[in-house]
């Protein structure tokens, strides 16, 4: 089993920045089973959507709505994934959840989520 804990949510004005962190913990075999880590978000009344993902090799993928504003990065030694969010917009307001997927796609873990609120 892998546990994911997110840090860094909060409230910010439009145009501001926030950095989210997600730390993965568990036994060494579970941690080594992780390939892709990423961030998803769910705004009130909307479905959860992908924000950004990064593989263990460093390949990244972003939602079109955040390209050029958000940057995902990963420190494999610390089992941590980061999401640097710049030029935040009110429409970025959501609960952001960390996700980890294994090389075995049946392995899929979620964090509890951290709330991001962007005011205009």
């Amino acid at each position: 089993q892998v546990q994911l804990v997110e840090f860094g949510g909060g409230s910010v004005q439009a145009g501001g920045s926030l950095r989210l962190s997600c730390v993965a913990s568990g036994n060494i075999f579970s941690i080594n089973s992780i390939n892709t880590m990423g961030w998803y978000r769910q705004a009130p009344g909307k479905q959860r959507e992908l924000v950004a993902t990064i593989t263990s090799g460093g390949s990244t993928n972003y939602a079109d709505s955040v390209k050029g504003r958000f940057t995902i990065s990963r420190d494999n030694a610390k089992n941590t994934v980061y999401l640097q969010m710049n030029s935040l917009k009110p429409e970025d307001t959501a609960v952001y959840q960390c996700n980890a997927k294994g090389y075995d796609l049946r392995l899929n873990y979620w964090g509890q989520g951290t709330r991001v609120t962007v005011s205009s």
Side-chain angles (χ1 to χ4, degrees):
Q1 274 289 61
V2 172
Q3 293 78 42
L4 303 174
V5 179
E6 299 104 335
F7 302 92
S11 297
V12 66
Q13 288 192 323
S17 298
L18 283 174
R19 188 193 197 205
L20 305 183
S21 303
C22 171
V23 180
S25 62
N27 64 56
I28 187 67
F29 300 104
S30 295
I31 292 295
N32 288 342
S33 71
I34 295 174
N35 178 19
T36 303
M37 296 187 75
W39 293 92
Y40 291 71
R41 67 186 181 186
Q42 186 167 19
K46 295 188 176 181
Q47 289 189 329
R48 183 164 59 193
E49 63 176 1
L50 178 146
V51 177
T53 61
I54 184 168
T55 68
S56 58
S59 296
T60 59
N61 180 46
Y62 294 92
D64 288 343
S65 59
V66 307
K67 282 180 182 176
R69 300 188 298 121
F70 291 11
T71 302
I72 190 169
S73 60
R74 180 171 176 170
D75 186 336
N76 290 327
K78 295 182 179 179
N79 301 322
T80 301
V81 63
Y82 305 96
L83 185 69
Q84 178 66 43
M85 305 185 293
N86 298 328
S87 302
L88 282 161
K89 304 175 180 180
E91 51 263 44
D92 294 318
T93 295
V95 174
Y96 285 70
Q97 276 185 288
C98 180
N99 174 261
K101 290 183 172 60
Y103 292 96
D104 181 339
L105 296 181
R106 293 172 295 179
L107 302 177
N108 190 27
Y109 306 101
W110 292 95
Q112 296 273 45
T114 184
R115 187 175 300 277
V116 172
T117 303
V118 184
S119 57
S120 57

